[in-house]
Structures are given as C-alpha cells and as structure tokens.
Amino acid sequence: MQPLELPRLPNDGRHYQLYTASNGLLCLLVSDPMADAASCVVQFRVGSHDEPKHLPGLAHLLEHMLFMGSADYPQAGSFPQLVSQWSGRFNASTAAQRTRYHFSVTPAGLDACLAQLTDMLTAPLFSPEAVAAERQVIDAEFHTRLADDALHEQAALGQVFNPAHPLSRFSAGNLSTLGLEPEALAKALRAFHRRHYQAANGCVLIHAPQPMAELQLFAARLAERLPAQPQAPRLSPGPLFAPQALPGLLRWQSCAQQNQWLLLFALNNVQTGQGASALGWLCEWLASPAPAGALGWLRRQGLIAQLQVSTQHYTDQQSLLRIEFDPLIEDSDYPALLNGFFSWLTALRLTPIQAWPQAARQQLADQAFAHGLRGEPLHWLTMQAERTLYQPPEQILESTGQWAGLDQPSWLGLLEQLQPESVLLVQSQNDETALPQQAAWTRTHFAFSPLNWQPVAGHGQALAEADWPIWAVAEPEAECHAGADCNSLPGLRSIPLPIESEGQGGDTVRLAWCWPEGRLDRYQRDRLKVLWNLQTEPLHGWASASGISLAWQDQAGLIWLELKGPRQGLRAGVAAVVAALARQPDPTLQHLAEHRHQRNLNERRQALPAYRLLEELDIQLNPTPNNPGSAQPAAAQVAWLYPRQWQSEWLKLVTTSLQQLCPRLAESFNWQPPALRLLGEGTTTIRVDCQHADRAYLLYCQAGSSSLAQRASWQLLHRHIGSSFFDQLRTRQQLGYWVVARYHEVAGTPGLILLLQSPTHDHQQIETAVSNWLESERKRLAELHFAQIRHQAQQLASHLRGQSRSPSGQLELHWAQGLGLPGAAVNDVCTALEQLTPASWAETLDDWLQRPRRLRLLSRPAQEN
C-alpha cells in the first residue's frame, strides 16, 4: 500500500489518506474520531456500456448475483442479515460506466461486513439455479420501472443517439434479453466478472472512527484478493448523436400527467482543466434564479417554472449537457423557449469574464474545502468514488473544482459548442397522439423530426452586473443592529447546542415553525414549504459554494429548516435566509409556488403503489385537522436550535426578522406533537387508488402502548425480523423487487411496516405469503433461547448509546428535549433494552402476533376503479 501525495487536506479533524495497492486498487481512507458509523463504498469502472450487445442487462444481473452466495458465504441473501446484525444498511447500483456497492454499519461491524463484501466481489458462486431465480427479480424490477419516466426517456433518446454508441442500447435487462439457459448465462456472468472486476479497475473508500492503520489493513485485505491484470481500454464509440439528429425535436409518451422538456448538447473536452472550469461556471449561470441566470431570465419571460442542469461524462472526453425545464407554455410554443434561451446565451457571451468575481468564488471553494466533506457520509463517499476513479490524485478531494484563472478562449470555446444547429429538444407528452414510432422493449411511443425553427437575433447587450447570481453574502455588522432578545419572546423556544454539531469548525442551525394545536394539514405544509423554498432559492448557489447545506423538512404540525456548514459564513447565511422569508412574496413568486404545489400533488398521484401506500399510512395515522385556512406564517411559533457560543448580538439580528414573520412570538409557546391515531385490535383493510398496475401490500403493526419497554422491545423485534422478511419473500419466494420491513415510530408509539410491491403476484398471493411468514416467524422466535434475545438487546442498546453520544446524536437529543419529542428518552430506551426480561419479550410477541393492532393497505390499480 503506497501513499499518494495530496497537495492539501481539509482541516476538519479527520485524517485523510490516499493509497494505491501494488495491483492498482485505489484506496481513499478517512479516519474520523467523530464518526458514529463506519461506511464503505467499493466501485468498479464497469457498467452497462461494457456488456455484450447480445446480453442487455448483464451488468445489472451481475450486480444482483454478487449477493446470491460466494465461496466463504454460500447462503444467498446472507449479507443483508449480517448488515442488519450491525444496525446497518446497504445497497448497490449499476450505471452506464460504473457499478457501486456500499454499506454503513456500527463501527464494530466494519471488519465482518467488509470481509463478506470482499468475498462477494472476488469469489461469487453464480450457481445456475440462483442465476435463473435472480433473473426473475431483474424482470420484476424492469416491469416496475415501466412506470418510471426516466426509463422511457432513455428508450426514446436511444433512437437518436449514434447507433454505434452504447447510449443507444437498451440496458435495463429483462427475462427476454437475458434469455440464455441458466448454465450459459452463468458462464457469461463469470467471463464478464473475470474481465472487469480487476484491482486496477476499482477503488475502495472507507470512513470510520477506527485509526488509519486499521483502515489501511481492511483495504489491503480487499486489495490482495482482487486480480491484478490491467483493464482493457474501452474502444472509441464515436460521437454521441447520429448526424441527422441535430438539430432535432424528439417527442415521447410520458407516464406522468405533466410535461418536461430537455435541451441536450454534446460537448467535447470539458472533463478536465480549463474545460472543466468553464463548464462549472456555465452550470452556475444556467441554474441561477437571479435575473441574469438562465432560470431567472426565462422565468421573467413567463416561459418556465424551474430549470435543472447536469452533465454526464463518457469515453473519449465526450460529455452530455442536460438542461431540464418545467415549462409554463404549450408544447407548440417551444420556439419562444428556444429564442429566450439562445438570446440569454448571446448576452452571456457578451459579459466579460474579467469582471466576474473569480477570486472571491475560488475563496468560497477554498473555505468549503478547508472545512471538509459535509453531510451524510455515504452520500459524499459515493460522490468521491467517482472522483477517485476518474480524476488525477491531486484533484480527488478538490470537490468544488477550480474557479479562478478561467481564460477567455476556453470560455468562448465552450459557448461555441452551444449553437442552435447542435441542440436536441426533447419533449414529453401525456398521450401517444401523433407519436407513430415505438421503442423496442419498453414500447415507448415517440416521434422525431428535424427542428423547424430559426433563431431570433439577441438584443446584443451584456448581462447587467446588478442582476448576476449571488456569489457573496456579507456577514452583518452585529453591533449595528438592536433587536429583541430571544429569551424575552415566550413564543420563541431557544435550544442552545453546547457541542460542535459536525466535526471541527462545523455548526448546525435548525428553525422550526410550529403551529399550535397541530393546525396545519399536509397540503398547507406543502404550500408553505414550496413558497419558502422559492424565497430562499437565490441563496442556494452561494450556500452550496460556501459548503453550507439548506434542507427543508416537514412533519405533522411543523415545518423546519436545517442549515449546516462552516462557522464562517453560516451566521450570515442564517440571517440572510430568515430576512428573505420575512419579505412579502410578490404575485409572480406566489404563482410559481402554486404551480409547483400542483405539480407535487400530481407527482404524488402518479407515484408507484408502494409510495402511495406509505403516503396513505401517514394520512391514516396523522388525521388532518379541521382548521382550513389557518396555515399563515403569522400563526406559527418558532423553535430555534443554534450553537451556544453564538453571541447574543447575532441572535438578536435573526430574532428581529423572525418577529416580522411570526407576530405570535409574543405569546407563550404552546406547541405539542400531534396525537397518533390508535388502532383497535384486529386488522382494518383500506384500498388505495394507484395509477400503476403493480400490486402493493402494506401491513402496519402497531404496539399496544408507547411505554419505554414497548419502544425498546419493538426496536429489538425489528432487528430480529427485518432480514428474515427480505430473505423469505424477496430472495427465496421471488415475490417482487421491492420488499421492506422497517421500524416505524409515530408520536412515540412503536410499530412495524411490512411492505411489498410486485408486478407478478396478486394481493391474495402476497397476503398468503405474508401470513405464512408471520406464522413461521412466530415459531422461529419462540424457539430462540432467551440468551440470544438478551445478547441482541445488549448489542442494540450499545449501538443506540453510541449514536446518541456522537455529535449528530447529541444534536438530535437536544432537539428532542427542546421540543418535547419522544426521542428525548433514548437513554431510557437503552436501559429498558439492557433490563429486558423473558416476560416483557413474550408480551411483545403476543402484542404483535396474538392480539395485533394492524392496518392493511392494498393498492387498487386504475383499471379496477
């Protein structure tokens, strides 16, 4: 294991080290004494673009098969059971040019879980029987995904990509494309695995509290088992688009009842160096809601409600720029959008880059880098895995790129690739009218035609500097502002946080708007959250560049905003966000908010059956208050969590804006968590209307009380049955792709959710399988010696205590204590686990199985309505 030199490292209390093993495996290891979990990502530079043309879906099937038994762990589905034992989670995914495996567990479980994952990656069994069974799961997943617009968009785009390019292929896989005899298919899987799962073709990333020497040992064990032969280079696939496709108009039939438009551009040489820097600047200009950003520019003309931009990189330095619009105009009015977009590009070309705040933008990036990678570890580990495989070592941790020193030729060279003659406009529509062609496999209706449009000349003026995106937010002068002390406002619940919330130098702030007596239904919450997100949207780009995250969440009776990031800048961000919310929104913003709210409602109606059942469960357990029209911000009170070391002058500054937004801060704080609907004994059945033909089944089991003993025992119950439910109904019986068992606590009352979605089995078959499983679990659990139960209870208590003592656990504990939430009793729950008796465990099993309180939700496909 040879260390690779990194030019600089974050100053965030973590120890970073990049190694390369002698056989070429790259290892990025992060020893973090503040971590409360151990997370691991293993990624290979192989995906659907590498599979044989005659076996679409082989890469996806291979990903699945690695969980179906290996040399030292032959039992199919045993990895989920192991991860569950260590209070963890796992997943895997296959994309065009990469396959990823990841898990997160209690730190003590890292060695065992990585050992099994290593065996899975290096010595899979590929038994023909398991291949035949898992092929059925791939087929079930494919049929479920037929309700996903992303699959149909990909199928339609495949018709206009260069036929020689892998992007033109069907890659999801199904029973037909993987139709070889099981023995032959197993042989193809072995050959594909042997060719691509090489050390030089992969990387491992580990983030854990263990010392660096221990992490290095774990990585070395994985490296030594991977073959060392070099990876064969990918052949040049040629250009992305077929020559006759540009400029073009592609229309395709969507499953959803709302339109989405795309502008696609093929770009060259923008993956590294000045090209990458120019592309970074372009994406910021495109996504900005400021008047000079593409989003703001097109909004002002009433053309779009939203814009999202992303890039996808491929072989031969080819990239695809994807600009997605939520249009406010009819499909036939697309020339107006194109004219607006290209007139903005003309103005952008005339805006001299010498005047841009390149140095200030780079300073933001440097500050964000210094404070380290933020957020949920598995999220940033997966992001870093991409960089580890594709970027030179010195740039792997430089997640924000280079912003200073952009030269004019590189910038103009990028913009020259965004020409009217090189654009593909893609429109989704709700029916198949005038869409005469059909894609193979997905049966997606589509129509392609040359783009019949002539651009209108732009106005020839540069973008006004006053309208540029926000790249700086000044920290207010605290001593110049006098305001109410937060302790003098009874309706403002202050929750000072005495610890650093996330590593060295990082802070967390939460602001929760609480409606007393729960007078806020879910639709009112959605409307307000959408409006407030739009009001703070201009700050999102600056916040992201500064390493600050803004996340809105809602639950019954409240909406809350969490800001996390470096102490330097976070106070300015909090003040700016609250000031933005205190300003009265104009009619245009209110119109956009209503448009987005209606879009959200439609997305919920169109959601897959499993999501629809989960939504209905939330409605059933949290009855809607009969207080229409009460969701005004002024009617809310506020709970505010902030670092204790913040000075009172800064608190007064924010308090003043909160007073303007919520006058009820002068009244006593009287919010209480809404009550849960308690179920009676027996089983209640509800059918839920769904747009998709898959059958979904949800069985919610509720505990008889919210006592500490019940909360402890039901969490332990989930630990025992979660992997069994998945193994029996997903792995062994192949009931469907989506099989989940999880603990679900509402208002302090514990419960379990058993959820299945299947394209191949009806509700009766699913219900019979669940009933049989419940009976088998009753017998299995009854036969377990109580010493095993007690050992698992002590393990769970240790895990929960460890979580509660970590910085993030302490934050949640203070939050729960400040608002009077059930999570404040986590230490008492741990004590109840450690004091578990045979009588209390027997009572839990009886409560679950013999005298249950259950709610059964069944999807009802549209054709049955």
Side-chain angles (χ1 to χ4, degrees), residues 193-276:
H193 175 265
R194 187 166 51 249
R195 176 179 174 83
H196 294 288
Y197 278 58
Q198 306 288 334
N201 203 33
C203 65
V204 58
L205 294 85
I206 303 175
H207 168 257
Q210 285 92 326
M212 181 59 70
E214 192 172 342
L215 301 186
Q216 184 182 354
L217 178 61
F218 292 155
R221 289 174 181 169
L222 170 61
E224 69 185 10
R225 291 196 58 184
L226 285 168
Q229 66 188 66
Q231 169 66 18
R234 284 191 173 99
L235 299 176
S236 174
L240 293 178
F241 289 106
Q244 68 275 16
L246 302 177
L249 171 63
L250 175 67
R251 291 174 292 135
W252 58 277
Q253 182 188 358
S254 164
C255 302
Q257 297 300 310
Q258 50 202 18
N259 293 345
Q260 202 72 15
W261 296 3
L262 284 175
L263 291 185
L264 296 179
F265 294 92
L267 304 178
N268 293 309
N269 302 313
V270 294
Q271 298 184 19
T272 57
Q274 283 281 308

Side-chain angles (χ1 to χ4, degrees), residues 256-261 325-327 329 331 428-430 599:
Q257 297 300 310
Q258 50 202 18
N259 293 345
Q260 202 72 15
W261 296 3
F325 301 105
D326 175 11
I329 55 179
D331 288 357
S428 65
Q429 63 182 58
N430 302 329
R599 187 178 183 87

Side-chain angles (χ1 to χ4, degrees), residues 721-738:
I721 63 97
S723 58
S724 169
F725 186 72
F726 181 88
D727 179 58
Q728 291 294 325
L729 279 72
R730 157 66 164 78
T731 304
R732 298 178 185 276
Q733 298 184 43
Q734 304 288 329
L735 282 184
Y737 170 68
W738 198 339

Side-chain angles (χ1 to χ4, degrees), residues 632-781:
Q632 296 302 316
Q637 296 180 311
V638 177
W640 182 12
L641 179 144
Y642 56 84
R644 178 165 287 172
Q645 64 268 30
W646 279 24
Q647 298 175 357
S648 60
E649 289 80 6
W650 295 104
L651 304 181
K652 289 179 180 180
L653 184 69
V654 177
T655 301
T656 301
S657 296
L658 288 173
Q659 272 188 295
Q660 297 173 12
L661 183 62
C662 304
R664 288 195 62 181
L665 298 187
E667 304 173 16
S668 296
F669 189 86
N670 63 349
W671 181 83
Q672 295 291 332
L676 166 73
R677 175 194 168 191
L678 295 174
L679 304 180
E681 287 193 16
T683 302
T684 303
T685 300
I686 298 176
R687 292 190 175 270
V688 180
D689 292 340
C690 299
Q691 300 297 320
H692 190 252
D694 275 16
R695 272 74 63 190
Y697 177 100
L698 187 156
L699 186 65
Y700 167 72
C701 310
Q702 188 180 76
S705 77
S706 57
S707 68
L708 291 172
Q710 286 281 61
R711 291 169 63 190
S713 295
W714 278 68
Q715 289 186 62
L716 180 62
L717 178 61
H718 170 254
R719 191 182 182 94
H720 276 280
I721 63 97
S723 58
S724 169
F725 186 72
F726 181 88
D727 179 58
Q728 291 294 325
L729 279 72
R730 157 66 164 78
T731 304
R732 298 178 185 276
Q733 298 184 43
Q734 304 288 329
L735 282 184
Y737 170 68
W738 198 339
V739 179
V740 177
R742 73 185 192 202
Y743 179 74
H744 190 69
E745 185 174 302
V746 182
T749 301
L752 292 172
I753 287 177
L754 306 176
L755 174 66
L756 294 91
Q757 180 175 308
S758 175
T760 54
H761 294 71
D762 60 33
H763 286 125
Q764 184 59 53
Q765 292 171 310
I766 295 172
E767 185 169 354
T768 299
V770 171
S771 297
N772 291 338
W773 174 82
L774 286 168
E775 177 61 23
S776 68
E777 282 301 283
R778 185 187 66 78
K779 295 178 181 178
R780 184 181 71 85
L781 293 173

